[in-house]
Amino acid sequence: MPLTDKEFIRYSRQILLPEVGEAGQQTFADAKVVIIGIGGLGHLVAQYLAAAGIGHLTLVDGDTVEVSNLPRQLLFDDSDLGLYKALVAKTKLRRAYEQTGVSAVTEHLNHNNAESVLNSAEIDLLLDCSDNFATRHFVNQLAIKQQIGLVSASAAHFQGQLLSIDQHVSPQSGCYHCMFPADMRVNQSCQTVGVLGPMVGTLASMQALMALQMIMGNKALIGKLYRFDGNQFSWREARLLRNPECMICGNEYTTAAAKSACEKFPFTENQYE
């Protein structure tokens, strides 16, 4: 359906962009996005996307709001303590952005609920806003298995990284496992080394911007890894090439093999940031 007068006024600054226009705004309205983790990254990404007019958001997080979350998870306040983040975010986003449908899953993504949460026929983009290595690998495998575009971000200390994956659009680009094999040892996260709210917010805003660009069909960002140094205020960019020996997306592996690897991956549930 064409934009209403109210919608045209609401999104006028976006529509003025030649890269967006009325057609792009309608694309936003038709888009369905799943966000894994509604913490420091996810709550801001969800708010940006809802404000931009994304048609439907599915928020996935089994954590409740804790007092230590409040300095960087700005959608929550003291009255939300002990409540599920996904439900609180759903209520507040629906109240502020009536044009966006929002649903909440008050469980961590796992092998038992992944199929119902991630239905590739109904999802345009998957956003990984988790803060642990196992979850990021699990989400990556699901994206490869179901051929869903993925934008993954993380932040800890003064270091952040951002990458986009969509091998359906860019077959030569790699996946998360190509760059960070599952047997790597990762000892740091924002829960163990600390992080400032604006550091997480920087990565969240970039993740939301990348998501909107991908929804509009920008292929130039796919298969690239961006690293941000919050001390030096510098960005580095690297091309993420497909590893032919990758156990998830390599040339030697079929879709069935990727599905099998996903099902057998030793996934453990950890808290999302």
Side-chain angles (χ1 to χ4, degrees), residues 144-158:
I144 297 299
K145 169 188 169 183
Q146 298 198 27
Q147 295 188 329
I148 304 172
L150 168 66
V151 181
S152 178
S154 61
H157 194 241
F158 288 96

Side-chain angles (χ1 to χ4, degrees), residues 87-148:
L87 285 179
V88 174
K90 171 186 173 180
T91 300
K92 294 186 178 183
L93 292 177
R94 290 184 67 177
R95 183 187 306 133
Y97 311 104
E98 296 179 356
Q99 75 286 349
T100 296
V102 185
S103 58
V105 178
T106 56
E107 297 178 307
H108 293 315
L109 187 69
N110 57 59
H111 290 294
N112 295 326
N113 63 20
E115 185 173 349
S116 61
V117 172
L118 302 181
N119 185 330
S120 60
E122 299 180 357
I123 295 174
D124 295 290
L125 194 62
L126 178 62
L127 301 184
D128 179 10
C129 299
S130 64
D131 186 42
N132 65 82
F133 199 50
T135 301
R136 285 196 284 271
H137 269 283
F138 185 56
V139 174
N140 172 72
Q141 292 172 56
L142 290 171
I144 297 299
K145 169 188 169 183
Q146 298 198 27
Q147 295 188 329
I148 304 172

Side-chain angles (χ1 to χ4, degrees), residues 30-196:
D30 295 336
K32 298 179 181 179
V33 177
V34 173
I35 302 175
I36 309 299
I38 311 301
L41 290 168
H43 87 285
L44 280 173
V45 170
Q47 192 164 9
Y48 270 122
L49 296 186
I54 294 299
H56 192 276
L57 300 175
T58 300
L59 313 179
V60 184
D61 198 321
D63 287 342
T64 57
V65 180
E66 300 178 1
V67 68
S68 62
N69 301 147
L70 301 183
R72 63 193 180 281
Q73 299 180 20
L74 307 183
L75 191 62
F76 310 131
D77 56 47
D78 289 275
S79 66
D80 302 319
L81 295 176
L83 303 178
Y84 282 111
K85 294 180 180 180
L87 285 179
V88 174
K90 171 186 173 180
T91 300
K92 294 186 178 183
L93 292 177
R94 290 184 67 177
R95 183 187 306 133
Y97 311 104
E98 296 179 356
Q99 75 286 349
T100 296
V102 185
S103 58
V105 178
T106 56
E107 297 178 307
H108 293 315
L109 187 69
N110 57 59
H111 290 294
N112 295 326
N113 63 20
E115 185 173 349
S116 61
V117 172
L118 302 181
N119 185 330
S120 60
E122 299 180 357
I123 295 174
D124 295 290
L125 194 62
L126 178 62
L127 301 184
D128 179 10
C129 299
S130 64
D131 186 42
N132 65 82
F133 199 50
T135 301
R136 285 196 284 271
H137 269 283
F138 185 56
V139 174
N140 172 72
Q141 292 172 56
L142 290 171
I144 297 299
K145 169 188 169 183
Q146 298 198 27
Q147 295 188 329
I148 304 172
L150 168 66
V151 181
S152 178
S154 61
H157 194 241
F158 288 96
Q159 302 297 316
Q161 68 180 28
L162 175 69
L163 72 154
S164 60
I165 299 164
D166 192 338
Q167 293 185 344
H168 180 67
V169 174
S170 179
Q172 76 279 5
S173 63
C175 74
Y176 189 84
H177 189 275
C178 290
M179 182 162 289
F180 305 107
D183 57 359
M184 286 181 61
R185 293 184 61 85
V186 178
N187 298 319
Q188 292 186 338
S189 73
C190 69
Q191 296 177 9
T192 58
V193 300
V195 71
L196 288 174

